[in-house]
Amino acid sequence: MMRIAIIGFGEAGQIYAQDLGKVADVRVWDKKFDGAQAEHLLGVAAKFAVQPARSLAEVLEGAHLVLSLVTAGNALDVAQQAAPLLAAGQYLLDFNSVAPETKRAAAQAVASGAGDYLDIAVMAPVPPARLATPLLAGGQHASDVAATLCELGCHARAASERIGDVSAIKMCRSVMIKGLEALTTECLSAAQRYGVEEAVLRSLHASFPSLGWDQQLPHYLISRVAEHGVRRAEEMGEVVKTLQDVGVSAAMSRATQQVQASLPAQMATHDLRYSDLTPFIWQEALDRLQPK
């Protein structure tokens, strides 16, 4: 049975560990295994019947595929730390949402050792599709690795032999997707405070009747900011870098980063967690954040 190492045991890491653990020998490692969350995370690993490792070196031992599923801010560090530990025939798959230049720096670090590096772009939220989430692979071995991932039940496609191309696709897409979430949050926050939210939504639906402004779309878009805004704001920092690296000003993306970070910050000041707001109704959630 193929051995797979997963670095990072957050939401996405747990989903990939649980599902890949049904068809492969999965080992997981997260630096939080040594922290305050250790008992909870180790309990999750036991529930999923995947083996927790005690160190980065241990999780890499004997793995064919190594999935890096950490935060944007830790992605390059993980690649640099893993590089001297990787053996010939091991592939580090960088699933993290970072700028193309960050991926190229990670690839350069891995190239200094014996392993190989793949740029992986996750093109939709991992839940609810899980292994069926679309993946784009980039790098010299993209075709072979994409085929292996598909054999394991993933929905992967080789898109380029160059490191950075698929991340450029992902980052440019994020300008629009995360921007739409931020615009919706800002638009409806103001509309609610003026008491005109229903009229605004009717107008949006009249202009774009196929999108669902009169149904679940506003709830979904704002819920993404409420639940994942901290991580999305970090990703938007990489989007800003992506744009600036090719001479684009990134004014809208910088603003998106601020809005993505702002809603979770407001929730924190009100001592609210996302779980306190579910099932998520945007009107009720924003009402709880209004100044009293």
Side-chain angles (χ1 to χ4, degrees), residues 59-171:
V59 80
L60 296 178
E61 186 176 349
H64 178 59
L65 301 181
V66 180
L67 279 57
S68 176
L69 289 154
V70 297
T71 63
N74 288 310
L76 180 56
D77 286 343
V78 165
Q80 292 170 335
Q81 292 166 22
L85 304 173
L86 292 168
Q90 289 187 301
Y91 295 95
L92 176 62
L93 279 56
D94 192 338
F95 276 62
N96 302 298
S97 297
V98 295
E101 285 302 320
T102 306
K103 291 282 181 92
R104 293 181 185 122
Q108 186 174 5
V110 172
S112 67
D116 289 290
Y117 178 92
L118 271 295
D119 178 6
I120 304 293
V122 183
M123 300 304 293
V126 176
R130 302 178 74 88
L131 290 190
T133 303
L135 305 174
L136 299 181
Q140 184 178 356
H141 301 283
S143 294
D144 290 341
V145 171
T148 300
L149 288 171
C150 289
E151 290 171 3
L152 292 166
C154 296
H155 180 39
R157 177 173 67 86
S160 176
E161 293 186 352
R162 298 190 306 175
I163 300 296
D165 283 359
V166 300
S167 287
I169 295 170
K170 168 67 184 265
M171 293 289 100

Side-chain angles (χ1 to χ4, degrees), residues 169-191:
I169 295 170
K170 168 67 184 265
M171 293 289 100
C172 292
R173 178 183 183 274
S174 289
V175 174
M176 185 65 67
I177 299 300
K178 275 67 173 184
L180 183 59
E181 293 170 353
L183 283 170
T184 302
T185 301
E186 186 169 285
C187 167
L188 293 182
S189 293

